[in-house]
Amino acid sequence: EMIRLALLSAILASASAFAPMSGLPSLARSAKPAMSVKMQGSDMSASVPFLKRPVNLDGSLAGDVGFDPLGFSDVFDLRVLREAELKHGRFAMLAVLGFIVQEFYTFPFFPKMAPVDAHDYFVTQGGGSQIIFWISFVELFSVVALFETIQGKREAGDYAFDPLNLATDEVTLARYREAEIKHARLAMIAIGGFIHQFWVTKQTVFEQLG
């Protein structure tokens, strides 16, 4: 009996796929209650559905999915947090690229070694002080930019850097901002994974994939 009911259900489901077009308006009307249910649940976080959406994360920023389980957005200025997130994310994207490229190519005047070992080697050779110097130099400009952001003179992370003129209009700019923050977050996770994976396995990324 159960098999017959299952077959009957399958037949009815298949037949509904070939229903006439006149049935579409009723489907559209039936979708309205679902929309209202979604609106009622909008006070919950989209990324962590069982947590309340943080009050300050209202969706106005690119990539905002209501993820702030530790409540940083309730304590710190959201523009400062976004500036820091973009800065770390951009460095992480460069780090991921450098980490992978170094597995395949090394300048002739540098010794060939794994990226993590290269970091330790160049710190002992004085590279660490150079990194600190140049990062400090960059930070001087970023502090000035951060004050402008707090004063409302610029968007967080916006240095008007678009040499290829990719953001030709506001719609395109919004799409690139969304893409950047997604790639930045992925890169921050990726570079941490690359380094810890090497510490555990003593293998580089492609060595482990192979």
Side-chain angles (χ1 to χ4, degrees):
E1 185 67 26
M2 291 297 294
I3 296 176
R4 290 179 181 177
L5 288 174
L7 289 173
L8 179 60
S9 299
I11 292 170
L12 290 174
S14 301
S16 65
F18 298 95
M21 294 297 290
S22 59
L24 289 178
S26 62
L27 290 176
R29 287 194 297 271
S30 65
K32 290 182 179 178
M35 182 72 72
S36 62
V37 170
K38 183 177 180 181
M39 292 299 292
Q40 291 172 2
S42 62
D43 61 338
M44 303 302 289
S45 170
S47 57
V48 191
F50 54 86
L51 294 180
K52 288 281 187 179
R53 177 180 58 81
V55 176
N56 293 324
L57 297 183
D58 56 2
S60 58
L61 289 177
D64 180 5
V65 289
F67 183 79
D68 184 18
L70 299 181
F72 287 125
S73 61
D74 296 329
V75 180
F76 303 102
D77 191 315
L78 204 59
R79 294 166 296 183
V80 175
L81 295 176
R82 173 47 58 94
E83 186 85 25
E85 183 179 28
L86 283 171
K87 183 191 300 181
H88 286 84
R90 287 164 180 169
F91 277 122
M93 287 188 282
L94 291 172
V96 167
L97 179 62
F99 205 98
I100 294 174
V101 169
Q102 192 171 332
E103 289 194 41
F104 298 98
Y105 178 77
T106 304
F107 288 114
F109 42 85
F110 288 134
K112 177 66 176 178
M113 60 183 68
V116 175
D117 292 336
H119 167 271
D120 298 338
Y121 171 79
F122 285 110
V123 166
T124 61
Q125 299 298 311
S129 58
Q130 295 182 38
I131 293 173
I132 293 174
F133 172 78
W134 288 110
I135 291 297
S136 300
F137 181 73
V138 171
E139 284 296 325
L140 289 176
F141 291 96
S142 65
V143 168
V144 175
L146 181 59
F147 277 113
E148 290 183 349
T149 300
I150 295 174
Q151 294 169 359
K153 296 179 180 179
R154 66 185 279 273
E155 293 287 334
D158 185 1
Y159 289 91
F161 181 78
D162 186 14
L164 300 180
N165 197 28
L166 297 175
T168 54
D169 53 68
E170 288 298 322
V171 175
T172 306
L173 178 60
R175 181 164 57 86
Y176 277 118
R177 282 177 174 169
E178 187 84 18
E180 181 186 32
I181 196 65
K182 288 182 178 180
H183 286 86
R185 290 166 178 170
L186 181 60
M188 287 187 281
I189 296 172
I191 192 63
F194 288 174
I195 294 171
H196 285 81
Q197 159 249 291
F198 182 82
W199 284 343
V200 173
T201 66
K202 301 303 178 184
Q203 292 179 314
T204 61
V205 176
F206 285 94
E207 283 176 349
Q208 187 155 20
L209 290 175

